[in-house]
Amino acid sequence: MSDVAAPAVLAPEPLGILGGTFDPLHYGHLRLAEEACQALGLCGVRWIPAGLPPHRAAPAASAQDRLAMVRLGIAANPLFSLDDSEVLSSQPSYSVPTLQRLRSQLGLQRPLVLLLGVDAFLGLTGWHRWRELFDLAHLAVATRPGYELAADQLEDVLAEEFRQRQCHAAAALAAVPAGRILTFRITALDISATVLRALCKAGGSGRSGASGRYLLPDSVLEYISTHKIYS
Ligand code: ATP
């Protein structure tokens, strides 16, 4: 009998998934993904810009422009990758079919961690087939200035899911492929795409003093200005 130990079967590392409209991408998004990698032990974050977001008004920038802005903003980080499937699809961008597709690509064992800010989590029950999310991925909910994850802010059905699924350590996400909820604190950046769109619009003439500078990557700002996205 051989005395060579069988190689340990390494559990696949959790992969982060960050969806959004990214209209435009800003440092709030980038810090969320960066700090999630560190705090949750993710092997990377897959960025998935929504094509036709069903839960909100149509984005101001086209899907192709939003895709281009995310591409520029994440380019320097080898842990970040871009997924253009929702943008290229003619179907509304629902998270459940997107996660089902990722599951079929990545297998049933890989822990998937859907990254959300608190504001998005508070509205989860409005998402299409939201309960099925827990069969497909964990949820990691990051702090965001202006939003509180207080129990009385959650609808009863979501509060109950939260109570049953909440875990308190990143290791719990790595242990199973899906189904847990972890909250985590990130650097508080009170930046929103809504405010940035207004700033870019007001600053279009260059005379008002309004600018998005230092709130989003220069490459993205330059793209907005070159292509006159919000002016
Ligand atoms: P808008 O102002 O147009 O609603 P947004 O700035 O909220 O846009 P989204 O693309 O809707 O950006 O957000 C994608 C995800 O990133 C969501 O889960 C959201 O909660 C999270 N997020 C966005 N900005 C921040 C921030 N400053 N801090 C923490 N999370 C954020």
XYZ file of all heavy atoms in Angstrom, residues 18-33 47 50 56 59 66 115-121 127 140 142-145 147 186-197, ligand 1:
404
model
N -21.376 41.055 -8.319
C -21.885 42.405 -8.064
C -22.685 42.895 -9.264
O -22.119 43.190 -10.321
C -20.727 43.362 -7.751
C -21.125 44.813 -7.449
C -22.166 44.905 -6.335
C -19.896 45.634 -7.047
N -23.996 42.928 -9.084
C -24.874 43.461 -10.123
C -25.231 44.905 -9.812
O -25.091 45.356 -8.676
N -25.676 45.613 -10.821
C -26.092 47.002 -10.597
C -26.307 47.678 -11.930
O -26.028 47.096 -12.990
N -26.788 48.909 -11.886
C -26.927 49.631 -13.153
C -25.627 50.338 -13.514
O -25.346 50.570 -14.678
C -28.097 50.640 -13.114
O -28.104 51.265 -11.849
C -29.403 49.961 -13.331
N -24.859 50.742 -12.498
C -23.557 51.393 -12.730
C -23.726 52.553 -13.717
O -23.072 52.612 -14.753
C -22.520 50.373 -13.229
C -22.413 49.172 -12.331
C -22.716 47.898 -12.791
C -22.017 49.309 -11.009
C -22.637 46.783 -11.957
C -21.931 48.205 -10.163
C -22.243 46.943 -10.647
N -24.571 53.472 -13.332
C -24.996 54.575 -14.223
C -24.640 55.923 -13.605
O -25.546 56.714 -13.340
C -26.510 54.417 -14.430
C -27.078 55.397 -15.439
O -26.314 55.921 -16.265
O -28.306 55.639 -15.408
N -23.345 56.215 -13.353
C -22.133 55.483 -13.739
C -21.535 54.688 -12.563
O -21.958 54.825 -11.421
C -21.178 56.637 -14.079
C -21.531 57.693 -13.054
C -23.009 57.574 -12.857
N -20.499 53.915 -12.894
C -19.673 53.239 -11.881
C -18.997 54.312 -11.021
O -18.561 55.331 -11.540
C -18.586 52.433 -12.594
C -17.544 51.817 -11.660
C -17.924 50.397 -11.315
C -16.160 51.847 -12.276
N -18.893 54.078 -9.704
C -18.215 55.054 -8.829
C -17.424 54.330 -7.740
O -17.450 53.096 -7.647
C -19.222 56.066 -8.277
C -20.401 55.462 -7.553
N -20.293 54.824 -6.343
C -21.734 55.420 -7.880
C -21.489 54.423 -5.931
N -22.374 54.754 -6.855
N -16.758 55.133 -6.892
C -15.897 54.532 -5.874
C -16.682 53.780 -4.791
O -16.117 52.924 -4.119
C -14.990 55.590 -5.249
C -13.827 55.972 -6.139
C -13.493 57.301 -6.348
C -13.058 55.005 -6.774
C -12.434 57.655 -7.174
C -12.011 55.342 -7.603
C -11.696 56.671 -7.794
O -10.648 57.006 -8.614
N -17.975 54.100 -4.619
C -18.781 53.316 -3.681
C -18.854 51.862 -4.132
O -18.701 50.933 -3.329
N -19.059 51.650 -5.445
C -19.093 50.281 -5.987
C -17.727 49.606 -5.832
O -17.627 48.434 -5.464
C -19.434 50.295 -7.481
C -20.742 50.934 -7.828
N -20.858 51.922 -8.766
C -22.000 50.717 -7.360
C -22.133 52.276 -8.890
N -22.844 51.583 -8.035
N -16.689 50.355 -6.175
C -15.347 49.749 -6.190
C -14.893 49.368 -4.779
O -14.311 48.305 -4.565
C -14.343 50.700 -6.853
C -14.528 50.785 -8.376
C -13.885 52.050 -8.939
C -13.934 49.549 -9.061
N -15.201 50.222 -3.798
C -14.811 49.870 -2.425
C -15.648 48.688 -1.925
O -15.143 47.841 -1.194
C -14.992 51.061 -1.484
C -13.942 52.136 -1.595
C -12.521 51.651 -1.412
N -12.244 50.957 -0.166
C -11.027 50.542 0.202
N -9.983 50.744 -0.600
N -10.833 49.919 1.333
N -16.908 48.638 -2.311
C -17.739 47.490 -1.925
C -17.096 46.188 -2.411
O -16.912 45.233 -1.642
C -19.152 47.664 -2.513
C -20.103 46.464 -2.523
C -20.300 45.889 -1.136
C -21.463 46.867 -3.095
N -16.697 46.152 -3.673
C -16.101 44.925 -4.228
C -14.733 44.646 -3.599
O -14.413 43.497 -3.248
C -15.971 45.060 -5.744
N -18.439 41.315 -12.099
C -19.309 42.487 -12.217
C -20.324 42.248 -13.330
O -19.938 41.923 -14.467
C -18.480 43.725 -12.550
C -17.545 44.147 -11.463
C -16.458 43.472 -10.993
C -17.621 45.357 -10.688
N -15.855 44.188 -9.978
C -16.542 45.346 -9.779
C -18.495 46.447 -10.684
C -16.306 46.388 -8.880
C -18.258 47.483 -9.793
C -17.187 47.441 -8.900
N -26.553 45.533 -15.331
C -27.897 45.166 -15.786
C -28.145 45.757 -17.166
O -27.747 46.895 -17.445
C -28.932 45.683 -14.799
N -36.541 49.426 -11.630
C -36.334 50.859 -11.501
C -36.505 51.536 -12.861
O -36.631 50.846 -13.875
C -34.933 51.112 -10.946
C -33.851 50.346 -11.726
C -32.497 50.545 -11.144
N -32.089 51.941 -11.252
C -31.163 52.505 -10.473
N -30.564 51.786 -9.559
N -30.846 53.763 -10.628
N -32.145 53.371 -17.112
C -30.917 54.126 -16.849
C -30.761 55.288 -17.831
O -31.302 55.251 -18.937
C -29.809 53.090 -17.064
C -30.478 51.766 -17.023
C -31.896 51.977 -17.462
N -22.671 51.907 -20.141
C -22.482 51.473 -18.748
C -21.485 50.314 -18.695
O -20.649 50.234 -17.798
C -23.825 51.114 -18.114
C -24.702 52.371 -17.918
C -26.035 52.088 -17.241
N -26.943 51.337 -18.080
C -27.246 50.052 -17.935
N -26.714 49.368 -16.932
N -28.050 49.435 -18.754
N -23.268 40.297 -3.754
C -22.915 41.479 -2.951
C -23.975 42.556 -3.144
O -24.343 42.875 -4.284
C -21.546 42.018 -3.386
C -20.396 41.006 -3.368
C -19.144 41.626 -3.977
C -20.129 40.532 -1.949
N -24.400 43.122 -2.040
C -25.450 44.147 -2.083
C -25.148 45.230 -1.061
O -24.631 44.930 0.016
C -26.799 43.568 -1.639
C -27.457 42.425 -2.365
C -28.640 41.931 -1.554
C -27.916 42.901 -3.710
N -25.555 46.460 -1.353
C -25.601 47.462 -0.307
C -26.899 47.307 0.471
O -27.859 46.686 -0.014
N -26.946 47.877 1.676
C -28.146 47.744 2.508
C -29.391 48.238 1.776
O -30.457 47.633 1.875
C -27.995 48.548 3.828
C -29.308 48.580 4.591
C -26.920 47.953 4.692
N -29.260 49.325 1.020
C -30.438 49.872 0.320
C -31.054 48.821 -0.605
O -32.271 48.673 -0.670
C -30.058 51.122 -0.482
C -28.964 50.844 -1.505
O -27.919 50.289 -1.124
O -29.149 51.165 -2.688
N -30.211 48.084 -1.293
C -30.713 47.051 -2.209
C -31.348 45.905 -1.421
O -32.408 45.387 -1.799
C -29.581 46.532 -3.090
N -30.727 45.531 -0.314
C -31.283 44.427 0.494
C -32.662 44.791 1.041
O -33.566 43.953 1.069
C -30.319 44.081 1.633
C -30.769 42.913 2.467
C -30.798 41.634 1.946
C -31.196 43.110 3.780
C -31.240 40.559 2.717
C -31.631 42.051 4.549
C -31.650 40.764 4.019
N -37.875 41.931 -5.726
C -37.142 41.279 -6.818
C -37.927 40.056 -7.304
O -38.551 39.349 -6.507
C -35.755 40.815 -6.355
C -34.781 41.903 -6.048
C -35.061 43.185 -5.669
C -33.354 41.799 -6.064
N -33.894 43.884 -5.441
C -32.832 43.053 -5.679
C -32.458 40.764 -6.356
C -31.462 43.301 -5.585
C -31.096 40.998 -6.261
C -30.610 42.261 -5.894
N -24.277 38.871 0.772
C -23.416 39.625 1.683
C -23.840 41.080 1.564
O -23.788 41.676 0.478
C -21.951 39.444 1.324
N -23.551 44.933 2.510
C -22.576 45.925 2.982
C -23.282 47.173 3.497
O -24.341 47.559 2.986
C -21.643 46.313 1.838
N -22.682 47.804 4.494
C -23.212 49.059 5.014
C -23.170 50.121 3.917
O -22.334 50.085 3.014
C -22.355 49.533 6.202
O -20.970 49.466 5.827
C -22.578 48.665 7.418
N -24.095 51.073 4.002
C -24.097 52.209 3.072
C -24.636 53.418 3.818
O -25.697 53.305 4.462
C -24.969 51.893 1.853
C -24.971 53.029 0.841
C -25.648 52.640 -0.457
N -25.490 53.735 -1.401
C -25.930 53.735 -2.647
N -26.557 52.674 -3.116
N -25.740 54.778 -3.429
N -23.954 54.554 3.749
C -24.427 55.737 4.469
C -25.870 56.077 4.083
O -26.234 56.002 2.909
C -23.470 56.853 4.009
C -22.238 56.135 3.586
C -22.701 54.820 3.021
N -28.549 54.409 5.122
C -29.444 53.248 5.189
C -29.101 52.409 6.410
O -27.920 52.193 6.710
C -29.319 52.389 3.925
C -29.696 53.142 2.680
C -28.720 53.827 1.945
C -31.019 53.209 2.251
C -29.058 54.550 0.812
C -31.359 53.933 1.107
C -30.373 54.598 0.400
O -30.718 55.304 -0.716
N -18.251 48.360 5.540
C -17.226 48.854 4.619
C -17.008 50.347 4.869
O -17.813 50.989 5.551
C -17.579 48.591 3.133
C -18.863 49.321 2.724
C -17.689 47.119 2.856
C -19.134 49.277 1.215
N -15.960 50.882 4.310
C -15.685 52.309 4.422
C -16.912 53.086 3.946
O -17.429 52.827 2.850
C -14.477 52.681 3.533
O -13.373 51.864 3.932
C -14.122 54.144 3.680
N -17.352 54.014 4.777
C -18.567 54.758 4.440
C -18.267 55.806 3.375
O -17.532 56.765 3.626
C -19.123 55.413 5.703
N -18.798 55.600 2.195
C -18.635 56.577 1.102
C -20.024 56.985 0.657
O -20.759 56.174 0.084
C -17.878 55.948 -0.072
C -16.422 55.572 0.174
C -15.841 54.872 -1.055
C -15.594 56.793 0.519
N -20.377 58.207 0.959
C -21.728 58.658 0.620
C -21.748 59.137 -0.832
O -21.845 60.326 -1.115
C -22.157 59.768 1.591
C -23.649 60.033 1.506
O -24.324 59.357 0.701
O -24.131 60.917 2.232
N -21.615 58.178 -1.726
C -21.578 58.459 -3.168
C -22.719 57.679 -3.803
O -22.913 56.507 -3.481
C -20.247 57.967 -3.800
C -19.052 58.568 -3.080
C -20.204 58.297 -5.288
C -17.710 58.001 -3.555
N -23.447 58.319 -4.684
C -24.470 57.583 -5.440
C -24.404 57.999 -6.903
O -23.998 59.123 -7.241
C -25.870 57.853 -4.884
O -26.304 59.135 -5.266
N -24.826 57.091 -7.746
C -24.848 57.385 -9.181
C -25.845 58.502 -9.470
O -25.626 59.313 -10.370
C -25.205 56.113 -9.950
N -26.922 58.552 -8.687
C -27.922 59.613 -8.898
C -27.282 60.989 -8.754
O -27.459 61.872 -9.605
C -29.072 59.462 -7.858
O -29.637 58.168 -7.997
C -30.137 60.523 -8.060
N -26.528 61.174 -7.678
C -25.871 62.471 -7.446
C -24.813 62.716 -8.524
O -24.670 63.843 -9.029
C -25.268 62.511 -6.024
C -24.338 63.699 -5.863
C -26.377 62.558 -4.995
N -24.109 61.685 -8.914
C -23.076 61.861 -9.949
C -23.671 62.279 -11.282
O -23.115 63.131 -11.976
C -22.281 60.567 -10.115
C -21.176 60.410 -9.087
C -20.586 59.019 -9.142
C -20.096 61.451 -9.325
N -24.809 61.703 -11.631
C -25.450 62.098 -12.903
C -25.795 63.585 -12.859
O -25.562 64.309 -13.833
C -26.723 61.266 -13.158
C -26.445 59.826 -13.516
C -27.703 59.133 -14.052
N -28.790 59.025 -13.091
C -28.905 58.070 -12.172
N -27.981 57.124 -12.061
N -29.945 58.037 -11.352
P -28.473 55.063 -8.251
O -28.125 56.273 -7.436
O -28.643 55.317 -9.719
O -29.646 54.296 -7.643
P -26.298 53.508 -7.039
O -25.229 54.487 -6.744
O -27.139 53.026 -5.889
O -27.228 54.049 -8.223
P -26.274 50.880 -8.286
O -25.653 50.556 -9.582
O -27.751 50.923 -8.204
O -25.635 52.285 -7.778
O -25.704 49.940 -7.136
C -25.217 48.627 -7.337
C -24.950 48.021 -5.959
O -23.930 48.772 -5.286
C -26.177 48.035 -5.024
O -26.216 46.816 -4.304
C -25.905 49.200 -4.102
O -26.509 49.023 -2.837
C -24.383 49.185 -3.992
N -23.816 50.515 -3.733
C -23.856 51.569 -4.555
N -23.238 52.632 -4.015
C -22.793 52.247 -2.795
C -22.085 52.910 -1.732
N -21.729 54.199 -1.817
N -21.790 52.190 -0.619
C -22.181 50.876 -0.525
N -22.848 50.196 -1.490
C -23.159 50.868 -2.613
